[in-house]
Amino acid sequence: MSQHSTANALRRPRVPRKTAARSDSVGEPSDIDTSFLESLLGYNARRAALAVIAVFLRRMAPYGVRPVDFSVLSVVAHNPGVTSRQICSTLDILPPNLVGMVKSLQKRGLVVRKPHPNDRRAQGLHLSDAGQTLYNEAQATASSLERDVAGRLTPDELNTLIGLLRKVYRT
Amino acid sequence: MSQHSTANALRRPRVPRKTAARSDSVGEPSDIDTSFLESLLGYNARRAALAVIAVFLRRMAPYGVRPVDFSVLSVVAHNPGVTSRQICSTLDILPPNLVGMVKSLQKRGLVVRKPHPNDRRAQGLHLSDAGQTLYNEAQATASSLERDVAGRLTPDELNTLIGLLRKVYRT
DNA sequence: TATTGTTATACTCTATAACTATA
DNA sequence: TATAGTTATAGAGTATAACAATA
């Protein structure tokens, strides 16, 4: 298992590293032509996603949650009793890859499991008090982070952008 | 080295797998509340990027190029003689991770290296005739792919979306 | 001394197969 | 027979350190 284990809910699992390979040299103002790539939705969506995630990693480091951890906590917070299987299909996570995450959140005392009322195979996930406290702060941070990330975007533009992105990936 | 090696420029390096963990069960129309996550730019940008990349992988499989391979080929195509170092800083790829890609493209006969005119440490990258032919087709596929991906988006909406995404990640 | 390209390697992320216990 | 959760593991993606050749 590559996940760390600690009882301290505020300890972060790993240091967020520098996001990517920035130029080591001083000059080189990048007179490289990337106009075709910049005309593609996929290229721009990926670059934008990575840029937002980089900010997310820095701002969420104090809470010790990566983007995927936050997504899981958010689903649990807003859907108490949700099962692992439901989280997987909602967030497009493969079941074997969720096991370690839930285990880690459990060890940190953020998440608790309760027997499922109807199905003895399943277990409902809930936030502990500590988990709820941490999630409340993390969610507030995530909200305020939006303004930083969308720096040169007006609120209207941000709404437009999110609406268009949803149109792309939603069936 | 985990990269494959083949002399056939049209052979694909690997099969594009199913994109993610869809529900195996029949029902479960996902009445899970994800409204907060869906209010976040990062979440939507990542989901959209993954959706586009999934289509890209399928459509580009005949050419044997992943998104990163296509990006490298595109930069070389539009900037003949570009160095590895320039590609790295342009595409945010770490130098050690580019080595294998260039090696692979070279083995497939798509890319050739020529001595740099001014700097004997560096080597300029160029497309071979086969590389140019393959890239022309791949670029045309990438362009036509845009319409598929942005299915329910009007051309104006697509332009708006790309413009807003650029605002997010561009310094 | 700094940079280009490189090797080796470690860590993280994503994916598949196969198992158990329940349904 | 099918599903929930799990284990083990393979493969791909991303990161750092350190080196030789050249600037």
Side-chain angles (χ1 to χ4, degrees):
Chain A
M1 186 190 304
S2 63
Q3 306 264 3
H4 80 135
S5 58
T6 170
N8 184 348
L10 284 177
R11 181 171 171 77
R12 72 194 197 293
R14 55 178 181 153
V15 293
R17 290 175 179 156
K18 308 194 70 169
T19 174
R22 275 292 160 209
S23 176
D24 292 344
S25 47
V26 278
E28 193 175 339
S30 207
D31 51 357
I32 303 296
D33 177 15
T34 56
S35 53
F36 178 73
L37 288 176
E38 288 182 28
S39 77
L40 296 177
L41 176 56
Y43 180 81
N44 289 287
R46 181 156 189 276
R47 296 291 296 240
L50 290 175
V52 177
I53 288 169
V55 177
F56 190 98
L57 286 171
R58 287 201 303 273
R59 297 283 296 271
M60 287 296 182
Y63 307 112
V65 292
R66 302 162 297 166
V68 64
D69 298 317
F70 178 80
S71 297
V72 170
L73 289 174
S74 182
V75 170
V76 174
H78 295 99
N79 304 271
V82 68
T83 67
S84 289
R85 192 67 191 72
Q86 290 175 306
I87 294 176
C88 284
S89 56
T90 300
L91 298 178
D92 275 1
I93 300 171
L94 291 169
N97 298 331
L98 184 67
V99 173
M101 301 178 208
V102 172
K103 241 182 216 167
S104 176
L105 295 173
Q106 212 178 353
K107 273 187 189 163
R108 294 171 66 191
L110 303 175
V111 158
V112 293
R113 298 166 123 158
K114 298 180 183 173
H116 193 279
N118 310 328
D119 192 335
R120 273 189 300 166
R121 294 172 302 179
Q123 288 168 305
L125 296 173
H126 303 258
L127 292 189
S128 66
D129 289 346
Q132 186 67 55
T133 300
L134 181 138
Y135 178 72
N136 288 345
E137 298 175 33
Q139 178 172 306
T141 299
S143 292
S144 78
L145 191 150
E146 293 286 289
R147 276 85 199 175
D148 299 357
V149 169
R152 288 176 312 292
L153 268 62
T154 67
D156 274 356
E157 283 178 323
L158 180 55
N159 282 336
T160 301
L161 175 53
I162 288 177
L164 292 174
L165 287 171
R166 260 198 285 241
K167 269 189 166 183
V168 171
Y169 74 86
R170 275 210 148 170
T171 317
Chain B
M1 187 189 304
S2 63
Q3 306 264 3
H4 80 134
S5 57
T6 170
N8 184 348
L10 285 178
R11 180 172 171 77
R12 71 194 199 293
R14 54 174 184 159
V15 293
R17 290 176 179 154
K18 309 194 68 169
T19 175
R22 275 291 162 210
S23 176
D24 293 343
S25 47
V26 277
E28 193 174 338
S30 206
D31 52 356
I32 304 295
D33 177 15
T34 56
S35 52
F36 179 74
L37 288 176
E38 289 182 27
S39 77
L40 296 177
L41 176 56
Y43 180 82
N44 288 287
R46 181 155 188 277
R47 296 293 294 242
L50 289 176
V52 177
I53 288 169
V55 177
F56 190 98
L57 285 172
R58 288 201 302 274
R59 298 283 295 271
M60 287 296 181
Y63 307 111
V65 292
R66 302 162 297 165
V68 65
D69 298 317
F70 179 80
S71 296
V72 170
L73 289 174
S74 182
V75 169
V76 174
H78 295 98
N79 304 273
V82 68
T83 68
S84 290
R85 192 66 191 75
Q86 290 175 306
I87 294 176
C88 284
S89 55
T90 300
L91 297 178
D92 277 0
I93 300 172
L94 291 168
N97 298 332
L98 184 67
V99 173
M101 301 178 208
V102 172
K103 242 183 214 166
S104 175
L105 295 173
Q106 212 176 355
K107 273 187 189 163
R108 294 171 65 192
L110 303 175
V111 158
V112 293
R113 297 167 123 157
K114 299 180 183 174
H116 194 282
N118 309 328
D119 191 334
R120 272 189 302 167
R121 293 172 303 180
Q123 288 168 305
L125 295 174
H126 303 258
L127 293 190
S128 66
D129 289 347
Q132 186 67 55
T133 300
L134 182 138
Y135 178 72
N136 288 345
E137 298 176 33
Q139 178 172 307
T141 299
S143 291
S144 78
L145 191 150
E146 293 286 289
R147 276 85 199 176
D148 298 357
V149 170
R152 289 176 311 291
L153 270 62
T154 67
D156 274 356
E157 284 178 324
L158 180 55
N159 281 337
T160 301
L161 174 53
I162 288 177
L164 291 174
L165 287 171
R166 260 197 286 241
K167 269 190 166 182
V168 171
Y169 74 86
R170 275 207 146 172
T171 314

